[in-house]
Amino acid sequence: MMFAPAPFLLKDVSVNQVMTQVCLALIPGIAAYAWLVGPAILAQLVIASLAALLAEALMLRIQGKPQAMFLADGSAIVTAWLIALTFPPLAPWWLVVTGTFFAIVVAKHLYGGLGQNPFNPAMIAFAVCIVAFPALMSQWPGIGLQAGLIEQINVILGFAPRLDALSGATPLDALKTALKLGEGQVDVAHLLANQDIFGTFAGRGWEWVAAGYLLGGLWLWQRKIISWHVPLAFIGALTLISGGLWLYQPTQFASPLFHLFSGGAMLGAFFIATDPVSGCTTPRGKLIFGAGAGLLAYIIRVFGGYPDGVAFAILLMNLCAPVIDLLTQPPIFGMKDKA
Amino acid sequence: MLMNLFKFKGGVKPPTNKTQSVGLPIAQAPLPSRLIVPLHQSIGGTPRPVVQAGDTVLKGQLIGEADGWISAAVHAPTSGTVVAVAMHVQPHPSGLDALCVVIEPDGKDQWIAREPLDYKTLKPEEVRERLQQAGVVGLGGAVFPTHGKLTPAKTVPMDELVINGAECEPFITCDDLLMRERAEEVVRGIGIFRDLLQPKKVLIGIEDNKPEAAAAMRAAIAALNESFLVIQVPTLYPAGGAKQLIRVLTGKEVPASKRSTDLGVQCFNVATAYTAWRAIAHGEPVVSRIVTLSGNVDQPRNYEVLIGTPMGELLKLAQPHPDTDGIVMGGPMMGFLVPNAEVPVVKATNCLIAHCDRLFPPKAPEMPCIRCGSCATVCPHELQPFEMYWFSRAKNFGKTQEYHIFDCIECGCCSFVCPSRIPLVQYFRFAKSEIWAREREKNAADGAKARFEFKQLRDEREKAEKAEKLAKAAAAQAAKKAAEAAAAAAADADEAAAPADVAPSAPVDAEKAAKMATIQAAIERAKAQREAAQPKNTEALSAQQQRDIAEIEARRTVLEPTTPEVVVPAGDNSQKTE
Ligand code: SF4
Ligand code: SF4
């Protein structure tokens, strides 16, 4: 250790570059979101980013860690964006800020900072806020909301009264509630065809947002930032269970397509469950992790108490990740024939 | 030629930087002003110097004699005078000194009498011996004595002889040029190995970025009418690692716990084959090798260099740029900065790279691991580097071994791709050396303990013997007295009763008395020991405490009748061992 050690050549990669690519990959989804659902999301992204950087800087200062280096790593921004994208777009600013602070201060730094958090910070923010502020967290803009960017920002900042249109729910929630109220008398196909909130195969507008995430996710995979294991297992498990129940009782269970393109499924499959820090790292572990998250997300969505189960599913799998990793260590070079 | 290639997992593609140094043919490096030839240039025992300061030597003359089977001889690289046999800093990351023979060349470069041989007329042992005497070692960098690898295993048939011409490290081109220019001698050298090992196949692996070398080798094989296969393997670092090349060519994976011969494969570098041929067919011991000079220099090129040439002097031939701030020996992936420019070229020196920050930018500060898994993806040994890193850092070395740290070949792929810029290999080297150090310490401690216990036992026995001798003398004395007393007898019947009882059994009693004396001596000793071992914190005590202690002691004395018995068997044992 007297001299700079080998290798002397290093690949041109950095944590910052990895995080930047994750952010870039989110852009198709964000664009669809802003275009089809409302531009407020842009304001939320900014609010969350600022809050995250502030929280990060504070925590780094308190711990005496080098601020410039860690602020530039981009990990706080990724967390912030995931929070903004999973919270209702017209949520008041302080809700997003609270969630972000909780994510960065508690879920990240109190567990040791970058690379040490056992849970995905953004999902912790979501879980904490949906438990603490259930009403605010389930107010999604109703369809046909005709408010412009300024109006929407005024709502977020509390300058304008919260609109009636905000009392809506997500398509997942709408379907679930309708099915529950219908007590077996209403069928899924009928609901989807006759309610405004639903589009071609999932929530109106949201299906394109999900498609945007899918696109970005595939790009990340192509760039080798993520491997195929987690998204494929997540989507596979979600498709299998939703498909099975749908075939069994198509009137009461929505199709796999509906589930894949609703709520946080695509975002979760490509951007959240793939978080390496809180997820699994062995190939088989990733498959188990992804499949478990997909399965749990469906169960919570359809049978549980929350409209979308992706956040809780991923947090639950975070909990199991270390054990899964331990039990799925791949055999090393030259030791494969030994069972 | 159809041949199924296998893949090894992982690997990286650093920029190869090879074209710079292949433009010109191999040149002969001029005689340096001094040659510093380390005696220890191969794995195994350090050769013993057989020359002294003041001796004159000829080129190729033995200067260091192989020490044991795994060791190889060392020779004078040129003719001249031995000016010293002294410690000199080595081209090793540790920067430690080692014994070297320093030779001042006389400029004549005069050879010893060389004796060419036809190895086919020699017995296999003679060939191996000859190679050891000629100092032939693995020139790929591992410098394992070649003769040691040339004995076929008796139990496992030798399937493949793999010849390594892959040369996967960036910058290095010495094997490439060797194959291009001296293919015939390389092939003849391979022929020696083949005849000794009798493999079913001979496979020569060359990375596919060296088509000229492959063509030259194929031509030589055809000309010599051999049946060796030249196989172009994909250019992927570390395809030239012996284990990776074996994997690619044969599909066999050699784990750290096994030798390749256990799987019926053996692997040699092309340069090793070349020197083996020179040694046998020309009687030339290994006194030079081909070295690539590259990096931050004006004239990158390959040179035939005498072993012992100071690196700084050699590098001047390539005209290093003024901002050169160090010399890397080996490639940029596994090489290291040498301690200074005075260190000599050794048999393991395949390449010298002039280092500068422009070429190898200083590393960005280390960030925490984000478990991105890139390191595991590129690890050719399919390890989990980030786990080993975590446990090395935590100094939990047991865990690093559970994650197979000793299977790590330190190829550097993991460090190369880590986005957090963690010098993973460095952590692994640290962990390995700690584990070794602890192992050594433990062995040393165990040895010391065994020695100590043995010494104690011996002392004990000697004391017992002494006591016994004394006791025997005393008993004899007593018996004599008793006999006298018996003779004087009967004056007082009451008093005489006891001696009278004793007298008839005098010899038996002497024995018993001896034993008693031994026991007594042992008790005395134990008591003395106990007293010596008495804790010193009992000195300033209150009267009450002292009373308590006295009481306890009294009780203990009553309850402690076993002490002598513990010692007596030891005395008995020592008698038995005699
Ligand atoms: S490449 Fe670096 S950051 Fe990624 S898992 Fe390995 S050690 Fe951690
Ligand atoms: S240095 Fe060791 S751990 Fe890293 S890639 Fe090479 S073999 Fe794997």
Side-chain angles (χ1 to χ4, degrees):
Chain A
M1 302 198 187
M2 249 190 298
F3 306 100
F8 294 92
L9 283 176
L10 295 179
K11 197 176 170 182
D12 179 27
V13 282
S14 64
V15 177
N16 170 286
Q17 282 171 26
V18 172
M19 298 294 171
T20 308
Q21 294 189 54
V22 173
C23 288
L24 283 177
L26 281 170
I27 284 181
I30 292 173
Y33 195 140
W35 180 256
L36 296 163
V37 181
I41 184 61
L42 302 174
Q44 298 286 25
L45 286 169
V46 173
I47 294 170
S49 303
L50 292 177
L53 288 177
L54 187 69
E56 182 89 16
L58 266 173
M59 289 312 285
L60 291 172
R61 161 161 260 166
I62 291 171
Q63 298 169 79
K65 290 189 184 169
Q67 295 195 36
M69 177 173 117
F70 280 102
L71 279 178
D73 69 27
S75 61
I77 300 288
V78 169
T79 301
W81 284 25
L82 292 178
I83 290 172
L85 292 174
T86 47
F87 277 42
L90 293 179
W93 65 271
W94 57 263
L95 187 65
V96 176
V97 170
T98 309
T100 311
F101 260 79
F102 200 86
I104 301 287
V105 174
V106 179
K108 184 174 178 184
H109 281 285
L110 294 191
Y111 277 104
L114 179 66
Q116 310 271 337
N117 45 296
F119 297 103
N120 186 300
M123 293 303 95
I124 290 277
F126 182 88
V128 165
C129 287
I130 204 164
V131 171
F133 310 99
L136 284 174
M137 284 297 282
S138 44
Q139 278 188 349
W140 290 74
I143 288 307
L145 176 74
Q146 292 301 335
L149 178 61
I150 303 297
E151 250 178 296
Q152 293 198 4
I153 290 177
N154 281 339
V155 174
I156 294 171
L157 298 180
F159 297 149
R162 309 196 68 71
L163 315 174
D164 284 348
L166 282 181
S167 57
T170 59
L172 272 172
D173 205 12
L175 185 71
K176 189 170 176 172
T177 317
L179 285 173
K180 206 174 258 169
L181 292 176
E183 289 187 347
Q185 303 307 310
V186 283
D187 68 293
V188 173
H190 188 81
L191 284 173
L192 293 191
N194 293 305
Q195 286 200 12
D196 249 2
I197 191 170
F198 302 111
T200 326
F201 46 83
R204 168 168 300 163
W206 294 111
E207 51 204 15
W208 295 109
V209 177
Y213 294 144
L214 170 63
L215 196 72
L218 290 176
W219 181 73
L220 274 190
W221 168 61
Q222 188 263 330
R223 303 278 304 162
K224 295 204 172 118
I225 301 288
I226 58 172
S227 72
W228 54 269
H229 303 79
V230 173
L232 196 79
F234 188 106
I235 289 171
L238 187 55
T239 308
L240 269 182
I241 184 167
S242 59
L245 286 167
W246 174 60
L247 285 176
Y248 164 68
Q249 222 175 33
T251 56
Q252 292 303 306
F253 295 101
S255 72
L257 218 51
F258 178 86
H259 277 288
L260 288 177
F261 286 86
S262 296
M266 285 297 172
L267 192 65
F270 285 98
F271 292 90
I272 307 172
T274 49
D275 169 28
V277 174
S278 54
C280 284
T281 47
T282 65
R284 275 191 303 148
K286 284 180 188 171
L287 288 176
I288 296 172
F289 186 92
L295 216 63
L296 284 171
Y298 184 85
I299 292 169
I300 298 171
R301 266 181 185 184
V302 176
F303 307 107
Y306 291 100
D308 194 356
V310 172
F312 288 104
I314 290 176
L315 288 175
L316 283 172
M317 291 312 290
N318 284 166
L319 206 61
C320 313
V323 177
I324 300 175
D325 265 347
L326 202 66
L327 298 179
T328 55
Q329 284 300 319
I332 70 159
F333 185 85
M335 297 201 180
K336 274 160 214 126
D337 38 349
K338 280 182 218 140
Chain B
M1 181 171 25
L2 282 175
M3 159 100 199
N4 234 344
L5 284 193
F6 300 85
K7 273 203 179 111
F8 65 90
K9 281 212 184 118
V12 294
K13 289 189 178 181
T16 58
N17 281 302
K18 300 223 184 209
T19 46
Q20 297 94 311
S21 53
V22 294
L24 295 166
I26 301 168
Q28 180 68 49
L31 271 182
S33 53
R34 255 148 70 96
L35 288 156
I36 303 144
V37 188
L39 288 161
H40 194 226
Q41 289 198 53
S42 69
I43 308 259
T46 304
R48 291 178 300 269
V50 293
V51 291
Q52 297 172 343
D55 288 1
T56 52
V57 289
L58 292 177
K59 180 173 187 155
Q61 182 178 330
L62 185 74
I63 56 175
E65 205 171 48
D67 175 41
W69 177 240
I70 296 303
S71 178
V74 177
H75 306 80
T78 187
S79 56
T81 318
V82 175
V83 291
V85 179
M87 300 300 275
H88 196 280
V89 63
Q90 292 301 296
H92 189 271
S94 68
L96 290 180
D97 290 3
L99 198 59
C100 296
V101 175
V102 183
I103 296 171
E104 212 160 69
D106 58 13
K108 291 186 222 135
D109 208 28
Q110 197 183 348
W111 273 99
I112 45 160
R114 280 166 286 175
E115 183 196 357
L117 283 173
D118 179 8
Y119 74 92
K120 292 197 170 140
T121 63
L122 299 175
K123 289 204 213 75
E125 315 78 270
E126 287 172 336
V127 180
R128 288 193 283 268
E129 165 117 27
R130 184 97 194 170
L131 292 174
Q132 181 180 28
Q133 293 315 325
V136 177
V137 300
L139 293 185
V143 287
F144 192 91
T146 300
H147 63 275
K149 288 166 69 181
L150 283 170
T151 314
K154 289 198 180 66
T155 47
V156 189
M158 182 61 62
D159 292 323
E160 293 105 351
L161 171 59
V162 168
I163 302 297
N164 192 344
E167 201 167 47
C168 61
E169 271 253 23
F171 287 98
I172 309 179
T173 57
C174 56
D175 288 350
D176 185 1
L177 268 281
L178 176 80
M179 288 186 283
R180 289 191 202 190
E181 296 186 14
R182 305 177 193 177
E184 192 194 308
E185 287 176 293
V186 175
V187 172
R188 287 183 190 276
I190 298 170
I192 301 181
F193 296 164
R194 186 260 329 269
D195 290 342
L196 284 174
L197 288 173
Q198 305 283 341
K200 298 198 185 93
K201 275 189 265 177
V202 179
L203 308 170
I204 305 170
I206 302 175
E207 268 194 348
D208 55 15
N209 62 356
K210 298 183 244 315
E212 294 91 343
M217 289 292 285
R218 284 202 179 109
I221 290 165
L224 293 169
N225 210 5
E226 290 283 9
S227 58
F228 309 157
L229 289 181
V230 172
I231 296 144
Q232 287 185 266
V233 301
T235 299
L236 177 69
Y237 178 84
K243 294 186 175 188
Q244 274 59 49
L245 191 64
I246 288 174
R247 161 82 196 158
V248 170
L249 296 181
T250 71
K252 294 174 181 174
E253 295 188 352
V254 187
S257 52
K258 279 200 178 149
R259 290 168 311 155
S260 68
T261 37
D262 298 338
L263 298 175
V265 213
Q266 193 59 285
C267 180
F268 294 95
N269 184 271
V270 281
T272 312
Y274 171 79
T275 52
W277 174 253
R278 297 295 303 180
I280 300 287
H282 299 270
E284 280 176 16
V286 182
V287 294
S288 67
R289 65 157 298 146
I290 299 168
V291 181
T292 306
L293 304 185
S294 191
N296 189 37
V297 296
D298 230 10
Q299 304 282 327
R301 188 171 185 176
N302 282 282
Y303 288 89
E304 173 106 41
V305 181
L306 295 183
I307 305 296
T309 304
M311 288 186 182
E313 203 173 325
L314 176 64
L315 192 66
K316 286 213 181 81
L317 297 175
Q319 298 167 24
H321 297 148
D323 61 339
T324 297
D325 56 6
I327 303 173
V328 176
M329 172 174 142
M333 296 299 285
M334 293 182 79
F336 56 92
L337 275 164
V338 297
N340 63 41
E342 289 301 303
V343 299
V345 166
V346 292
K347 288 176 186 173
T349 311
N350 47 8
C351 179
L352 298 183
I353 304 176
H355 182 282
C356 71
D357 283 353
R358 200 165 27 75
L359 207 56
F360 307 118
K363 285 163 197 170
E366 189 177 328
M367 302 268 295
C369 167
I370 53 169
R371 296 173 64 85
C372 67
S374 305
C375 49
T377 314
V378 298
C379 176
H381 277 243
E382 295 158 62
L383 306 173
Q384 303 279 307
F386 54 90
E387 304 278 14
M388 301 192 316
Y389 154 72
W390 177 252
F391 291 118
S392 306
R393 226 186 120 108
K395 300 209 166 63
N396 188 343
F397 300 118
K399 274 282 185 188
T400 63
Q401 278 173 285
E402 274 174 42
Y403 280 95
H404 306 287
I405 196 162
F406 283 104
D407 274 79
C408 166
I409 54 166
E410 301 183 10
C411 65
C413 291
C414 51
S415 296
F416 179 75
V417 296
C418 176
S420 287
R421 294 283 169 251
I422 302 169
L424 293 158
V425 190
Q426 208 182 346
Y427 280 101
F428 305 155
R429 286 204 193 110
F430 163 70
K432 285 185 193 172
S433 61
E434 279 300 291
I435 295 168
W436 282 324
R438 282 175 194 202
E439 198 74 12
R440 266 200 304 275
E441 246 165 54
K442 195 182 154 284
N443 288 345
D446 285 353
K449 195 163 156 243
R451 276 195 303 280
F452 177 71
E453 276 167 3
F454 179 70
K455 184 171 175 291
Q456 265 202 330
L457 195 74
R458 199 180 54 198
D459 288 354
E460 197 73 9
R461 197 179 71 190
E462 275 166 6
K463 269 187 209 157
E465 278 166 8
K466 212 186 236 166
E468 198 179 329
K469 250 183 224 153
L470 286 174
K472 263 186 188 149
Q477 203 78 40
K480 215 156 118 195
K481 262 189 198 148
E484 275 165 18
D492 189 341
D494 281 348
E495 275 183 16
D501 275 345
V502 172
S505 57
V508 183
D509 266 11
E511 194 72 12
K512 214 184 212 167
K515 213 159 226 172
M516 283 309 289
T518 317
I519 292 170
Q520 204 51 48
I523 293 175
E524 290 304 332
R525 229 169 26 249
K527 210 184 246 164
Q529 260 171 19
R530 221 176 20 243
E531 258 139 42
Q534 215 41 256
K536 292 272 181 277
N537 58 356
T538 49
E539 273 156 11
L541 296 175
S542 71
Q544 177 61 40
Q545 280 168 321
Q546 264 161 359
R547 258 200 309 284
D548 288 351
I549 290 172
E551 245 170 64
I552 293 167
E553 282 300 326
R555 249 179 291 140
R556 190 187 279 156
T557 335
V558 175
L559 291 171
E560 234 178 23
T562 50
T563 320
E565 280 156 44
V566 176
V567 182
V568 174
D572 283 348
N573 277 343
S574 70
Q575 279 166 338
K576 264 178 224 151
T577 55
E578 274 164 7

